[in-house]
């Protein structure tokens, strides 16, 4: 629960924008972010995807206040209680419809990952439908993973924290980045119905061996042969490693979007055209490693090259990730910090823990009053490190003690 009497924590620039807002909402600490793209001559201040994230946080909380300066370069956010899709909180029929503008250049995973972190601490189940001309379900050139990777490589990790019931991510309509990486007109629904008071303490120290590889090859508005060519290229790389490899092929038509034309008025045009691939490797101890590729909006890359690129990316993730991949590291470390007052341990690669995003996350957690991390060398022959995190015991105040 937020404390509006507290002075806001101060940050600068738009770096780690979503992560900082998520931590502020979880801990109830207000924040103030300044110098948001102040030197940009064309688009200073908050970007469309950042404004959309603020709207989403306002929809799933009660009592949040958001103040944005005239130029958009200063934001003050005071979080409220996480209510989810509770009656009277803006949900219609138990579903919150969040429309993403066509100018958004980020994938829907930019919104899904923070929302999944908030959902276990919500007062009521979270049921959010992402719709609108700006929803991109595939991976993006900005570094966002696809909705398939969130569903297969991030959501299953919540079971390790005792959060596993009534969780589903539906990709209702697929889409890829449109011209200049904008828009896609996809549709995704997240249903997160397992709320807890505390996440359980995590101890994950054994990476195990890869036992199977799963994936989804998808194409929207292009011939289905693109999927077959990607899958064949992936198998050429991965089959010598493991025989249990299965990649599902999903072919869908491109969604239509109304556009304005001076000569003929409103015209329906196809958007979100393209193809991509999401791969997930699972080890014998349940560790997950993922890889994502997508065709660029300008085209020009054959499916075979994308398939090989994704396969090699997956192998690199497996060889250097410890027990947690770089895609899921921020989610795992955040849930460990929000757990009960006990020490959790996870073995990660030096490349993962030394990444810019994870270092920034560790610094921000200290600012928000969460525990720091302890490090020691792994006892096995690998060069990984064991990260120890003491849970802060920030309980879900909406859950009764049983």
């Amino acid at each position: 629960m937020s404390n509006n009497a507290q002075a806001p924590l101060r940050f600068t620039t738009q770096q780690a924008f979503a992560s900082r807002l998520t931590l502020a909402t979880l801990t109830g600490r207000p924040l103030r972010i300044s110098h948001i793209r102040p030197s940009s001559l064309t688009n200073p201040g908050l970007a469309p995807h950042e404004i959309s994230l603020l709207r989403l946080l306002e929809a799933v909380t009660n009592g949040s206040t958001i103040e944005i300066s005239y130029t958009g370069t200063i934001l003050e956010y005071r979080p409220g209680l996480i209510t989810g899709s509770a009656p009277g909180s803006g949900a219609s029929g138990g579903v919150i419809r969040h429309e993403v503008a066509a100018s958004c250049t980020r994938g829907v995973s930019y919104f899904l990952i923070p929302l999944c972190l908030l959902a276990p601490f919500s007062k009521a189940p979270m049921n959010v439908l992402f719709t609108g001309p700006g929803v991109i379900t595939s991976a993006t050139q900005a570094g966002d993973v696809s909705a398939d990777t969130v569903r297969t490589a991030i959501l299953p990790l919540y079971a390790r924290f005792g959060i596993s019931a009534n969780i589903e991510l539906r990709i209702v309509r697929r889409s890829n980045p449109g011209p200049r990486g904008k828009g896609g007109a996809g549709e995704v629904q997240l249903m997160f119905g397992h709320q807890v008071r505390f996440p359980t303490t995590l101890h994950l120290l054994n990476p195990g061996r890869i036992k199977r590889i799963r994936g989804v090859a998808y194409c929207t508005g292009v011939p289905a042969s693109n999927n077959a060519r990607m899958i064949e290229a992936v198998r050429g790389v991965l089959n010598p490693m493991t025989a249990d490899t299965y990649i599902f092929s999903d072919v869908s038509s491109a969604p239509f979007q109304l556009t304005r034309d001076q000569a003929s008025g409103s015209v329906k045009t196809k958007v979100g055209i393209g193809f991509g691939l999401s791969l997930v490797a699972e080890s014998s101890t349940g560790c997950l490693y993922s890889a994502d590729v997508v065709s660029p909006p300008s085209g020009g890359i054959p499916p075979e090259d994308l398939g090989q690129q994704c396969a090699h990316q997956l192998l690199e993730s497996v060889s250097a990730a410890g027990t947690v991949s770089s895609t899921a590291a921020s989610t795992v470390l955040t849930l460990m910090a929000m757990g009960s007052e006990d020490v959790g341990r996870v073995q990660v690669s030096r490349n993962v823990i030394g990444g810019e995003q994870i270092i920034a996350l560790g610094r921000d957690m200290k600012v928000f009053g969460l525990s720091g991390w302890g490090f020691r060398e792994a006892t096995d022959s690998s060069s990984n490190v064991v990260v120890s995190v003491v849970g802060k015991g920030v309980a879900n105040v909406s859950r009764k003690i049983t």
Side-chain angles (χ1 to χ4, degrees), residues 39-367:
S39 58
S40 175
L41 299 178
T42 55
N43 297 298
L46 294 169
H49 59 272
E50 294 164 346
I51 295 175
S52 184
L53 179 61
L54 289 171
R55 288 177 37 243
L56 178 62
L57 292 177
E58 186 180 28
V60 300
T61 59
N62 182 26
S64 297
T65 59
I66 301 171
E67 297 179 7
I68 303 174
S69 66
Y70 180 77
T71 58
T73 58
I74 300 176
L75 165 70
E76 186 165 322
Y77 172 65
R78 293 183 177 272
L81 181 69
I82 307 171
T83 55
S85 301
S89 61
S92 177
V95 179
I96 296 176
R97 292 179 62 90
H98 182 71
E99 186 162 342
V100 182
S103 56
C104 181
T105 58
R106 303 298 297 265
V108 72
S109 62
Y110 177 81
F111 308 100
L112 288 173
I113 294 175
L115 195 62
C116 290
L117 284 171
L118 300 179
F121 305 94
S122 174
K123 178 181 179 181
M126 196 84 74
N127 192 340
V128 181
L129 177 65
F130 293 89
T131 184
V135 177
I136 302 172
T137 63
S138 69
T140 64
Q141 301 296 318
D144 300 309
V145 299
S146 65
D148 293 285
T149 296
V150 175
R151 178 176 56 85
T152 58
I154 295 180
L155 284 182
L157 295 176
Y158 281 78
R160 293 187 173 273
F161 296 92
I163 308 169
S164 59
N166 302 322
I167 301 175
E168 184 179 359
L169 179 62
R170 295 178 181 173
I171 304 176
V172 182
R173 185 167 60 238
R174 290 189 178 275
S175 62
N176 290 266
R180 298 182 301 278
K182 296 181 180 180
E187 195 168 298
V188 174
Q189 185 173 9
L190 173 67
M191 291 168 287
F192 206 116
H194 193 171
Q195 281 65 49
V196 296
R197 188 165 178 83
F198 291 109
T200 58
T201 304
L202 175 67
H203 295 280
L204 187 58
L205 301 175
N206 183 12
R209 291 181 175 273
I210 300 301
K211 64 177 182 179
R212 59 170 165 254
I213 297 175
R214 297 292 182 264
V216 177
Y218 53 87
C219 63
T220 308
V222 295
S225 59
N226 290 287
N227 282 357
R229 293 162 65 184
M230 284 190 295
I231 293 173
E232 184 178 0
V234 169
R235 287 190 172 278
V237 177
L238 297 181
N239 274 2
M241 313 293 177
T242 175
D244 191 1
T245 301
Y246 179 78
I247 303 173
F248 176 74
S249 177
D250 189 351
V251 182
S252 58
S253 58
F256 284 94
Q257 182 179 350
L258 283 175
T259 57
R260 295 285 183 179
D261 186 86
Q262 293 181 353
S264 56
S266 297
V267 179
K268 284 187 176 181
T269 57
K270 288 186 176 182
V271 294
I273 298 174
F275 53 90
L277 181 63
S278 170
L279 295 177
V280 176
E282 182 180 356
S283 74
S284 56
T285 57
C287 299
L288 300 174
Y289 311 92
S290 62
D292 249 313
V293 293
V294 65
S295 60
S298 58
I301 299 182
E304 291 83 0
D305 290 353
L306 277 183
Q308 292 181 357
Q309 177 186 344
C310 193
H312 290 131
Q313 184 179 326
L314 180 67
L315 293 177
E316 290 177 3
S317 178
V318 170
S319 64
T323 60
V324 179
S325 67
S326 58
T327 302
S330 59
T331 296
V332 170
L333 292 171
T334 302
L335 288 174
M336 292 174 68
M338 295 297 296
S340 58
E341 297 179 3
D342 196 1
V343 181
R345 296 178 178 85
V346 62
Q347 184 181 144
V348 297
S349 165
R350 294 179 185 272
N351 294 332
V352 173
I353 202 66
E356 181 180 353
Q357 179 185 4
I358 303 301
I359 292 176
L361 176 65
R363 290 174 177 171
D364 289 344
M365 283 185 175
K366 288 287 291 182
V367 175

